[in-house]
Amino acid sequence: MPNVRWRLADYLERHRLTAYALGKDIGVTRMNTVYRIARRGSEPVRVDLETLGLVISSLRKLTGEDVQLTDILEYDPSGTPEPQAVPPPPPEPLSDPLDPVLDQLRALKLSDAQLTALLERLRAK
């Protein structure tokens, strides 16, 4: 029987994004859904098309790339189960306490020199 698999966790990892950043961009009302989709090994089997569209739109915004369905979903016509030579990593924490701080720093659009100076000031304290 054919099988469709989520590849969102792989995509986020390749682009150094977190489920928190994606969920925040989509909106807090869908945060739990984003965490479920991005968790390897326990992805949901059903997600509504509106949510799927929001995930793709948000990924396009966050990465600046033309994200397609095939970037986050994989179709296996043979239906063979995915090989699990290595156990899946532990679930991603619900949120990293530093994510909001990093989001605020990104919003400031500081230069590398400004970020370096800021980090030096923080280390001095």
Side-chain angles (χ1 to χ4, degrees), residues 5 7 40-43 81-89:
R5 295 184 191 103
R7 293 295 181 216
R40 282 187 185 98
S42 60
E43 299 94 339
E82 187 172 329
Q84 298 254 336
V86 178

Side-chain angles (χ1 to χ4, degrees), residues 50-115:
E50 179 185 4
T51 301
L52 186 57
L54 289 170
V55 167
I56 291 172
S57 294
S58 182
L59 289 172
R60 286 179 175 185
K61 180 177 155 189
L62 293 170
T63 64
E65 295 180 1
D66 184 25
V67 181
Q68 299 295 318
L69 281 174
T70 54
D71 293 320
I72 60 171
L73 292 172
E74 177 183 69
Y75 175 69
D76 179 9
S78 68
T80 56
E82 187 172 329
Q84 298 254 336
V86 178
E92 196 175 310
L94 288 181
S95 67
D96 185 337
L98 291 179
D99 280 341
V101 175
L102 292 172
D103 288 341
Q104 289 176 356
L105 286 174
R106 285 186 193 105
L108 294 174
K109 298 185 185 212
L110 300 173
S111 69
D112 289 346
Q114 290 171 318
L115 280 172

Side-chain angles (χ1 to χ4, degrees), residues 14-70:
R14 277 194 315 274
H15 290 84
R16 296 180 173 255
L17 291 171
T18 63
Y20 176 82
L22 178 62
K24 186 173 179 190
D25 190 71
I26 290 174
V28 289
T29 58
R30 302 205 192 267
M31 192 67 80
N32 287 334
T33 301
V34 171
Y35 280 119
R36 281 194 346 263
I37 295 170
R39 189 174 302 127
R40 282 187 185 98
S42 60
E43 299 94 339
V45 294
R46 291 182 182 87
V47 173
D48 65 23
L49 293 177
E50 179 185 4
T51 301
L52 186 57
L54 289 170
V55 167
I56 291 172
S57 294
S58 182
L59 289 172
R60 286 179 175 185
K61 180 177 155 189
L62 293 170
T63 64
E65 295 180 1
D66 184 25
V67 181
Q68 299 295 318
L69 281 174
T70 54

